């Protein structure tokens, strides 16, 4: 049975989704697609792809940290970008968050995201070793 979690310190979900799903013994974690929102749900970096990529990766890092995870635990990521050229130009920011071996990725260009100021959404799957994994405080489900 999967366990849903919405770690403290991030913007609260406003729809039918959780920030992450913990599968099995808690090693495999499915993260909800993260967008460039701060902890209060405000858009960070309106129309600035670089600022948005940075905020999205910080959000992913924070969700993982709530369970004892690290960015190195990410095994797969799907990027939804409204401008693929701008997204690819932010590769240096992604490299600041990830180290080799890098996660497998899929990148697609989309017409828009749910808010017109958002330019990037990244969904991820991570495997957190049992020795580090901890159930987050706000686990529900």
């Amino acid at each position: 049975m999967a366990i849903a979690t919405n770690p403290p310190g991030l913007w609260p979900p406003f729809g039918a989704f959780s920030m992450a799903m913990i599968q099995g013994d808690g090693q495999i974690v499915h993260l909800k697609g993260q967008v460039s929102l701060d902890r209060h749900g405000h858009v960070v970096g309106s129309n600035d792809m670089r600022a948005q990529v940075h905020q999205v990766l910080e959000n992913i890092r924070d969700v993982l940290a709530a369970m004892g995870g690290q960015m190195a635990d990410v095994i797969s990521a799907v990027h939804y970008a409204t401008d693929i050229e701008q997204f690819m130009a932010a590769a240096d920011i992604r490299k600041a968050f990830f180290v080799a071996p890098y996660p497998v990725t899929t990148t697609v260009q989309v017409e828009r995201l749910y808010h017109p100021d958002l330019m990037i959404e990244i969904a991820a799957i991570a495997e957190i070793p049992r020795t580090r994994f901890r159930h987050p405080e706000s686990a529900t489900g």
Side-chain angles (χ1 to χ4, degrees), residues 36 43-49 51-52 115-119:
S36 184
V43 174
V44 173
S46 181
N47 298 311
D48 182 341
M49 180 66 79
Q52 290 197 20
H115 187 287
D117 292 341
L118 294 172
M119 303 176 74

Side-chain angles (χ1 to χ4, degrees), residues 19-85:
M19 287 295 178
M21 290 294 292
I22 303 162
Q23 177 181 340
D25 290 336
Q27 289 186 298
I28 304 297
V29 179
H30 299 259
L31 283 75
K32 176 236 176 279
Q34 289 294 315
V35 293
S36 184
L37 298 181
D38 64 17
R39 67 182 317 150
H40 304 290
H42 300 120
V43 174
V44 173
S46 181
N47 298 311
D48 182 341
M49 180 66 79
R50 293 183 63 79
Q52 290 197 20
V53 168
H54 192 270
Q55 181 66 46
V56 168
L57 293 172
E58 283 184 346
N59 289 351
I60 290 170
R61 182 195 63 207
D62 293 348
V63 171
L64 290 171
M67 293 168 265
Q70 304 168 355
M71 293 300 280
D73 298 328
V74 175
I75 56 177
S76 177
V78 179
H79 310 108
Y80 302 95
T82 60
D83 186 317
I84 205 157
E85 285 82 17

Side-chain angles (χ1 to χ4, degrees), residues 53 57 90-100 102:
V53 168
L57 293 172
D92 60 312
I93 296 169
R94 294 190 314 277
K95 285 185 179 180
F97 282 85
F98 294 107
V99 297
Y102 299 110

